[in-house]
Amino acid sequence: MSQVLVAISQVAAVCVGGPLLLGLMRKVRSRLEGRVGAPIYQPLLDLRKLFAKQRMRPRDSSWVFGAGPVVLVATVVAVTAVSPLATTNPPLGQSSDFFAVVFVLLLGSVLLALSALDTGTAFGGMGSSRSMTIGALCEPALLVAILAMAIAARTSNLPALVRVGLNHPTVIASPARILALASFLVVILAESGRLPIDNPSTHLELTMIHEAMVLEYAGADLGLIILGESMRLVFLLGLFVNLLVPWGVADRPGALYFAVGLLALVAKVAVVGVTIAVFEVFTAKMRLFRLPELLAGGFVLALLGAVTAVVAR
Amino acid sequence: MNGATYSSLLEIAAGLVILCAFVTLWRRSLLAIVRALAVQGIALGVVALVLGLHRRDVVLIVVGCLVVVAKGFAIPTLVRRVLANAPMSRETSPLVNVPSSLVGAGALTFLAYGTTRPVVALVSTSAGRLIPLGVATLLIGFFSMVVRRKAVSQIVGLLLVDNGIALVAFLATAGVPLLVELGASLDVLLVVVVLRVLAVQLWSKFAVLDLDQLQELHD
């Protein structure tokens, strides 16, 4: 199977899977709260509606405002194409490094924060400031978590990290990998604005973080942002499950193996998504000033992982 | 039990011991702190059990079972009794705030790794490499006794120190004699009973569990 086809199908799966995952998580939440809830494919319909609308931009905004959503989606598409989601042999697999992937994703977040500042509204500035604060607290935790996994596997190459888990299951059961993945999960929840860090379903002035940033967007721009955010969540969760339970990922060339890998990815991400949705029903949003405690906890988990990895080698 | 399973089980149990030490600094609810202590006690017992099974040492297995019962269930239950009067009490204002104390505990872990290097070099087994985790638990225990204000947190700090020492003893030696381990465990049990009585007295006299309020003499 040619590498281009692999890249296209991975991107397509994440592109459709992102909104579907959002719909699934909302559905689980509704059911647990005793409501029927919208159908799972509702976010896709919302996106179609948004993309059909006319373009509306604030009068005094600059090109940065338009660039934010585009760069957000572009960065996720770029890292999705080269990451081991359905197969351990993605295109450009040799150079898809965990650190590089994280920093490319960060580019999207930074540009989104800049474009929220661009309109000069109070909410945009507040949202950007909060989002960057959380980002600055997440980043060290994430980097040390990657370091812990890289020390244990002796490489920070993403396909190699997944392959090591596939070939040596004891690496996954090692404390270094477990602690690092726990820290990675905290960072995923914080970066994608889920509970208990941010509540994705409210527009309350006092507490909103991510919603405050995208308040000025409408139409296709808003659609791109929703699409990009949901794709990023699916991408990060896909990476997480492949590092935690790599079984099912296509380790050999061939269309059949790839199809099995894709199905396994969908199943694993759906399970993790449902788990997060159930967890969210039982949690309240944390106070903003308590967030450093949670993220410092994530950092310490990663640090412990790195230390045990150094000792165990 | 083959070599790989043995060492990864040992690593996970010892990792859980120090993870629980961090959790006691991370959480504010005193009940959650005591729960972390119970999990730590069980993990410590599992370390002894795994070592005993690996070396086919019956005494060590017995000690492991005793540790699980004493440190996993008996002592945490006693400490929890102190909280019976105020089950929702929290560590509201520790002397060092939570993020800083977590980072401090991380630094203490590094200190433990640095200082135990000669000891680790001496003990050349896979268990010996984990000795720094025990020393780190001990240091975190001291740290939590210094920065925490509630009587219960300080008791937990003391027990962390004891668990750290026990972990080092299990990992560094070929097994502590049953009598010594029994003596040490009973000592700790007695200390906890005494501290519990003191804490309950404190509660009934002053209706606080905050030791910083005891700086003046009262009639």
Side-chain angles (χ1 to χ4, degrees), chain B residues 15-93:
Chain B
L16 201 58
V17 169
I18 186 161
L19 190 64
C20 289
F22 274 97
V23 170
T24 60
L25 285 181
W26 191 7
R27 299 299 302 270
R28 281 167 184 266
S29 149
L30 293 182
L31 263 181
I33 291 177
V34 176
R35 212 174 297 136
L37 185 76
V39 174
Q40 186 180 48
I42 293 171
L44 189 65
V46 171
V47 168
L49 277 177
V50 169
L51 280 171
L53 285 175
H54 183 64
R55 293 179 186 147
R56 305 189 188 290
D57 185 347
V58 181
V59 176
L60 204 50
I61 295 175
V62 173
V63 167
C65 295
L66 281 179
V67 167
V68 168
V69 172
K71 290 185 172 163
F73 296 99
I75 293 181
T77 311
L78 279 175
V79 179
R80 212 172 284 141
R81 289 268 175 81
V82 180
L83 293 173
N85 297 316
M88 296 305 283
S89 53
R90 303 167 74 80
E91 185 71 51
T92 42
S93 54

Side-chain angles (χ1 to χ4, degrees), chain A residues 75 79 97-110 139 142-143 146:
Chain A
T75 50
V79 294
D97 185 86
F98 208 156
F99 289 105
V101 163
V102 164
F103 281 115
V104 171
L105 279 183
L106 194 63
L107 183 68
S109 326
V110 168
E139 224 49 44
L142 184 55
L143 291 182
I146 298 173

Side-chain angles (χ1 to χ4, degrees), chain B:
Chain B
M1 206 185 315
N2 67 3
T5 334
Y6 157 72
S7 61
S8 68
L9 265 180
L10 202 62
E11 272 177 25
I12 288 178
L16 201 58
V17 169
I18 186 161
L19 190 64
C20 289
F22 274 97
V23 170
T24 60
L25 285 181
W26 191 7
R27 299 299 302 270
R28 281 167 184 266
S29 149
L30 293 182
L31 263 181
I33 291 177
V34 176
R35 212 174 297 136
L37 185 76
V39 174
Q40 186 180 48
I42 293 171
L44 189 65
V46 171
V47 168
L49 277 177
V50 169
L51 280 171
L53 285 175
H54 183 64
R55 293 179 186 147
R56 305 189 188 290
D57 185 347
V58 181
V59 176
L60 204 50
I61 295 175
V62 173
V63 167
C65 295
L66 281 179
V67 167
V68 168
V69 172
K71 290 185 172 163
F73 296 99
I75 293 181
T77 311
L78 279 175
V79 179
R80 212 172 284 141
R81 289 268 175 81
V82 180
L83 293 173
N85 297 316
M88 296 305 283
S89 53
R90 303 167 74 80
E91 185 71 51
T92 42
S93 54
L95 293 178
V96 176
N97 69 10
V98 173
S100 315
S101 54
L102 280 174
V103 174
L108 286 177
T109 313
F110 275 116
L111 183 71
Y113 273 102
T115 48
T116 51
R117 195 167 285 170
V119 185
V120 175
L122 219 59
V123 187
S124 59
T125 56
S126 61
R129 282 199 313 246
L130 301 171
I131 289 175
L133 295 181
V135 179
T137 308
L138 188 156
L139 291 176
I140 292 172
F142 275 127
F143 185 65
S144 123
M145 280 163 79
V146 171
V147 301
R148 292 302 170 96
R149 287 178 171 173
K150 301 278 183 190
V152 173
S153 316
Q154 301 212 349
I155 298 176
V156 169
L158 181 75
L159 292 170
L160 284 185
V161 171
D162 180 65
N163 285 353
I165 294 173
L167 184 59
V168 173
F170 286 138
L171 293 173
T173 65
V176 190
L178 182 60
L179 207 62
V180 176
E181 176 54 37
L182 219 56
S185 289
L186 282 181
D187 248 16
V188 173
L189 202 62
L190 209 65
V191 167
V192 170
V193 170
V194 171
L195 284 177
R196 194 203 134 206
V197 170
L198 281 179
V200 170
Q201 284 281 319
L202 188 66
W203 177 264
S204 59
K205 289 263 190 222
F206 305 112
V208 288
L209 279 176
D210 200 335
L211 294 182
D212 275 13
Q213 312 227 340
L214 299 185
Q215 290 182 342
E216 294 164 25
L217 283 174
H218 289 278
D219 232 349

